[in-house]
């Protein structure tokens, strides 16, 4: 199992924090550099277009990280493809692949945060049609240097080349999904690696959807080893489980209570939090041993997980806490998982 981090490049760590955007970006790059040095496999940067986040130009951040790292894979998490031009997306990540000497990946999705649609002139009424069409074009560009293509939402291409081409023969493109069965089946029928975002409830409940993905892939002629499954969930590692809870809960409760006010959810309670950090709950929060055990349990519940990414910079944690967690993941959690194989 590959282990990594996904970040939304938070511009603030807590309600009363006065961290500048310049300092927040510098600290993010320090965390990516540490992740590379301590043996993590992948670092992803999301895409938002809100005041709280600095990740609107994902590939730019990843390119800066590429210049400071040697081995870690660098990916989006996710690219909101529905509101983007697939030609420019491919060119940006092909360029990143050249800068990083073959370490670039893309995770594409429709986006659970929808502010990109009006910003770039798209209608939410076309939510799924936009994604389906643009994914088709992106895969066409990946597989062909000269592209002939036509669709509804973008001008046609008539045997036009798309440059640059990446160092990797085939730029990895993962499909990021939430809980829609059609999205899981689509990923399988296309033979694309699947990145499942599970942010609430119990992870094992996604097993039928992951099975649907694998069944669709096998029907389309793809081998089981081609149908990779990734899992993205909130998490945090401290020296002990008690310390992890003490660090993580206040900021987590603050954030999700705020989101709840915006979306009509009830406030977060400690009882709810405790259920989410329980053995079958989605939150991967604890000491190294507990976290390693939970990751292995999640993998077993889903019939095997090829990649897990922590989302941890959304709970009011300080830069020092995040750095310590990354170091513990690299020096403690990953060896425990590898030792179980």
């Amino acid at each position: 199992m590959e282990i990594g981090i996904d970040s939304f490049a938070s511009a603030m760590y807590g309600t009363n924090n006065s961290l500048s955007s310049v300092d927040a970006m510098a600290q993010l790059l320090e965390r990516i550099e540490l992740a590379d040095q301590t043996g993590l496999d992948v670092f992803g940067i999301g895409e938002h277009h809100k005041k709280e986040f600095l990740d609107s130009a994902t590939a730019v951040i990843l390119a800066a990280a590429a210049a400071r790292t040697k081995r870690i894979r660098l990916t989006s998490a996710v690219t909101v493809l529905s509101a983007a031009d697939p030609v420019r997306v491919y060119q940006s990540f092909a360029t990143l692949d050249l800068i990083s000497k073959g370490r670039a990946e893309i995770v594409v999705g429709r986006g659970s945060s929808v502010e990109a649609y009006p910003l770039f002139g798209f209608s939410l009424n076309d939510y799924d049609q936009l994604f389906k069409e643009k994914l088709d074009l992106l895969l066409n560009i990946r597989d062909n240097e000269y592209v002939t293509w036509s669709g509804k939402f973008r001008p046609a291409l008539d045997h036009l080349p798309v440059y640059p081409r990446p160092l990797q023969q085939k730029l990895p493109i993962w499909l990021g999904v939430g809980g829609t069965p059609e999205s899981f089946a689509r990923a399988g029928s296309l033979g694309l690696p699947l990145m499942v975002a599970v942010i609430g409830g119990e992870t094992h409940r996604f097993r039928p959807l992951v099975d649907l993905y694998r069944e669709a892939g096998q029907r389309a002629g793809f081998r089981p080893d081609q149908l990779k499954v990734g899992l993205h969930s909130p998490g945090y590692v401290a020296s002990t489980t008690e310390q992890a809870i003490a660090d993580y809960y206040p900021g987590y409760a603050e954030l999700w209570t705020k989101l709840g006010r915006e979306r009509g959810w009830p406030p977060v309670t400690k009882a709810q939090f405790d259920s989410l950090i329980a053995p079958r709950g989605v939150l991967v929060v604890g000491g190294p041993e507990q976290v390693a055990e939970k990751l292995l349990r999640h993998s077993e519940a889903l019939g095997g997980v090829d990649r897990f990414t922590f989302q941890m910079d959304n709970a009011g944690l300080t830069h020092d806490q995040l750095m310590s967690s990354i170091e513990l993941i690299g020096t403690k959690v990953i060896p425990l998982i590898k030792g179980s194989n």
Side-chain angles (χ1 to χ4, degrees):
M1 186 192 307
E2 294 179 331
I3 304 294
I5 305 287
D6 285 337
S7 173
F8 296 161
S10 175
M12 59 187 75
Y13 298 124
T15 302
N16 300 316
N17 198 296
S18 58
L19 187 74
S20 73
S21 296
V22 170
D23 289 340
M25 187 64 75
Q27 291 178 359
L28 172 60
L29 292 173
E30 286 181 24
R31 296 197 292 275
I32 301 175
E33 193 170 6
L34 180 63
D36 180 58
Q37 293 168 353
T38 54
L40 276 68
D41 298 293
V42 60
F43 207 107
I45 300 294
E47 180 190 336
H48 297 82
H49 302 270
K50 296 181 177 181
K51 183 178 180 180
E52 302 95 317
F53 306 108
L54 300 173
D55 59 351
S56 63
T58 306
V60 177
I61 299 173
L62 293 173
R68 298 173 58 158
T69 56
K70 293 185 171 70
R71 49 164 299 280
I72 197 166
R73 297 193 68 77
L74 301 167
T75 183
S76 59
V78 302
T79 294
V80 184
L81 186 62
S82 303
D85 181 351
V87 174
R88 294 299 286 162
V89 168
Y90 187 86
Q91 289 174 327
S92 294
F93 281 86
T95 302
L96 172 64
D97 201 54
L98 298 176
I99 294 170
S100 66
K101 297 182 173 62
R103 293 185 280 131
E105 300 187 5
I106 315 175
V107 180
V108 297
R110 293 176 296 183
S112 59
S113 187
V114 297
E115 70 278 356
Y117 288 79
L119 185 63
F120 295 109
F122 295 102
S123 171
L124 283 170
N125 294 329
D126 300 320
Y127 188 71
D128 193 59
Q129 282 184 298
L130 279 164
F131 183 73
K132 183 177 180 181
E133 178 176 299
K134 292 188 176 188
L135 179 61
D136 178 65
L137 175 54
L138 182 64
L139 296 177
N140 195 319
I141 296 168
R142 183 187 68 170
D143 296 339
N144 301 282
E145 183 174 341
Y146 284 79
V147 179
T148 297
W149 177 93
S150 64
K152 176 181 177 182
F153 299 102
R154 190 200 184 283
L157 299 173
D158 184 11
H159 196 62
L160 292 176
V162 178
Y163 299 120
R165 307 306 294 182
L167 178 62
Q168 296 177 86
Q169 184 175 6
K170 201 167 189 177
L171 192 64
I173 297 174
W174 295 63
L175 189 58
V177 299
T180 307
E182 292 80 8
S183 296
F184 285 80
R186 175 188 291 147
S189 65
L190 295 171
L192 296 177
L194 183 76
M195 179 56 70
V196 188
V198 182
I199 60 174
E202 297 181 338
T203 301
H204 75 276
R205 294 180 179 175
F206 279 74
R207 178 62 183 268
L209 293 171
V210 173
D211 287 344
L212 177 64
Y213 161 71
R214 292 182 171 125
E215 290 164 4
Q218 290 174 14
R219 284 197 303 271
F222 295 101
R223 303 186 310 272
D225 63 290
Q226 293 176 290
L227 301 171
K228 294 182 178 180
V229 174
L231 178 62
H232 158 104
S233 292
Y236 173 68
V237 185
S239 56
T240 66
T241 294
E242 293 74 20
Q243 187 62 55
I245 293 171
D247 291 347
Y248 192 83
Y249 174 69
Y252 175 86
E254 177 186 336
L255 171 72
W256 286 95
T257 297
K258 177 184 175 184
L259 289 174
R261 285 195 298 267
E262 297 172 356
R263 303 184 185 187
W265 304 334
V268 172
T269 66
K270 185 60 164 58
Q272 290 171 332
F273 179 79
D274 289 342
S275 70
L276 291 172
I277 63 170
R280 304 211 314 182
V282 65
L283 295 184
V284 186
V285 175
E289 293 79 10
Q290 291 75 21
V291 164
E293 289 171 4
K294 194 163 196 176
L295 291 181
L296 292 170
R297 192 180 303 117
H298 281 346
S299 181
E300 182 180 2
L302 296 180
V305 169
D306 299 284
R307 174 179 291 181
F308 178 84
T309 54
F310 291 84
Q311 213 294 310
M312 65 172 69
D313 65 354
N314 61 349
L317 298 164
T318 67
H319 176 58
D320 288 343
Q321 288 172 321
L322 294 169
M323 291 284 278
S324 176
S325 189
I326 290 169
E327 186 165 7
L328 286 169
I329 292 169
T331 61
K332 301 290 185 182
V333 175
I334 290 177
L336 286 169
I337 290 174
K338 289 183 176 178
S340 69
N341 295 334

